[in-house]
Amino acid sequence: MAVQVLSHTVAAGLHTYTAAGLLQETAKQTACFIERVDKLFDILNSRTLRVSNSNCKPLVATTSEHFKFLEESIPWVESWRFGKELPFQWGLANTIRAVVNLTRQLLMEDFTMVFTNRFNQDCVENLFSMVRAKSGHAYNPTAVQVVAALKNILVLSSMKPLSAMTNCQPDGADNLIPPVEFVGIAGSQDISQQSLPIINDFIDLEEFPLEEEVVAYRDQQAHAYVAG
């Protein structure tokens, strides 16, 4: 909702209505505020290289105009006054500060560009939503239920939001752990050296002998990960 209201379209509408005399001149200040917030949101949400909006392009250098804008936005956000400091204000300022510091570090490590959209927890929230969907009516699934849901999601290659009502965008990320390795059916040999039969993007589990020790080890690792 905030992204839709604090957008370039709304700012343009305010400027138009002000120029037509349908709003007071003070509405220009609101329009300028919305334009700046919209630019900030765009820079913090870059996810592709080929895009018409220059604000949505990745950060490529600490000397870029976008990088300078982010640094100037930190004291600007902290200067907002609402009678008292609200949690979102502190969170937004620290998000900008974290993106600036992480981007600077990555560019120093010879990264050619940084997509700021990757600095979010949508992938975690999407995963948790799928785990809850797989757990039926268990709103607080146990570690065992989480492991079972993760295995189901990975093996069925359904790593995408299951609900149309989700408030997170699909993250478009790849699985770091191959499904076969996660469920513990690859045996003791190197997975990359095995020929894994794939049928319609599904793994035929009957083709692989389960080894209890390997499965137990994977379960323990999964439990430890979920438990933190």
Side-chain angles (χ1 to χ4, degrees):
M1 182 61 70
V3 177
Q4 295 175 350
V5 174
L6 302 176
S7 66
H8 173 73
T9 302
V10 174
L14 289 176
H15 280 302
T16 302
Y17 270 60
T18 302
L22 300 176
L23 290 175
Q24 298 180 358
E25 286 295 318
T26 54
K28 289 184 177 180
Q29 299 177 7
T30 302
C32 292
F33 174 84
I34 293 176
E35 286 179 331
R36 184 163 183 175
V37 173
D38 176 66
K39 182 177 180 180
L40 178 60
F41 284 172
D42 286 342
I43 296 176
L44 292 176
N45 197 42
S46 63
R47 58 188 302 157
T48 181
L49 185 60
R50 297 177 179 83
V51 61
S52 58
N53 186 350
S54 61
N55 293 328
C56 295
K57 292 186 176 181
L59 300 177
V60 296
T62 56
T63 57
S64 67
E65 185 272 336
H66 291 164
F67 206 92
K68 180 180 178 181
F69 179 83
L70 287 177
E71 292 180 317
E72 294 176 348
S73 295
I74 297 174
W76 178 64
V77 172
E78 293 177 337
S79 68
W80 297 350
R81 294 293 178 267
F82 303 94
K84 64 178 181 178
E85 185 178 17
L86 300 179
F88 89 90
Q89 184 179 0
W90 175 89
L92 180 57
N94 279 278
T95 295
I96 301 171
R97 186 177 291 108
V99 169
V100 168
N101 292 334
L102 284 170
T103 301
R104 181 182 288 112
Q105 181 64 35
L106 290 173
L107 293 175
M108 289 175 58
E109 296 290 338
D110 296 329
F111 279 75
T112 58
M113 63 187 69
V114 176
F115 293 98
T116 53
N117 177 263
R118 309 311 297 173
F119 298 140
N120 63 53
Q121 62 181 24
D122 281 2
C123 55
V124 178
E125 293 188 28
N126 287 334
L127 176 61
F128 284 176
S129 69
M130 288 184 287
V131 170
R132 288 193 295 270
K134 294 290 184 180
S135 301
H137 296 289
Y139 293 103
N140 296 294
T142 65
V144 174
Q145 291 174 316
V146 169
V147 172
L150 288 175
K151 289 180 178 180
N152 188 300
I153 293 169
L154 289 171
V155 172
L156 296 180
S157 302
S158 58
M159 293 295 289
K160 57 184 179 180
L162 300 178
S163 174
M165 303 301 293
T166 179
N167 63 348
C168 298
Q169 295 179 336
D171 51 82
D174 296 326
N175 298 332
L176 296 180
I177 304 177
V180 176
E181 181 179 356
F182 184 85
V183 299
I185 57 180
S188 58
Q189 299 181 7
D190 185 0
I191 293 178
S192 62
Q193 299 177 356
Q194 296 187 28
S195 177
L196 305 180
I198 304 297
I199 303 176
N200 296 327
D201 295 329
F202 288 85
I203 300 172
D204 189 353
L205 300 183
E206 295 182 356
E207 295 292 329
F208 302 93
L210 291 175
E211 296 185 13
E212 294 183 359
E213 294 183 358
V214 176
V215 174
Y217 173 77
R218 300 298 183 189
D219 285 345
Q220 292 174 6
Q221 295 299 308
H223 288 197
Y225 178 82
V226 174

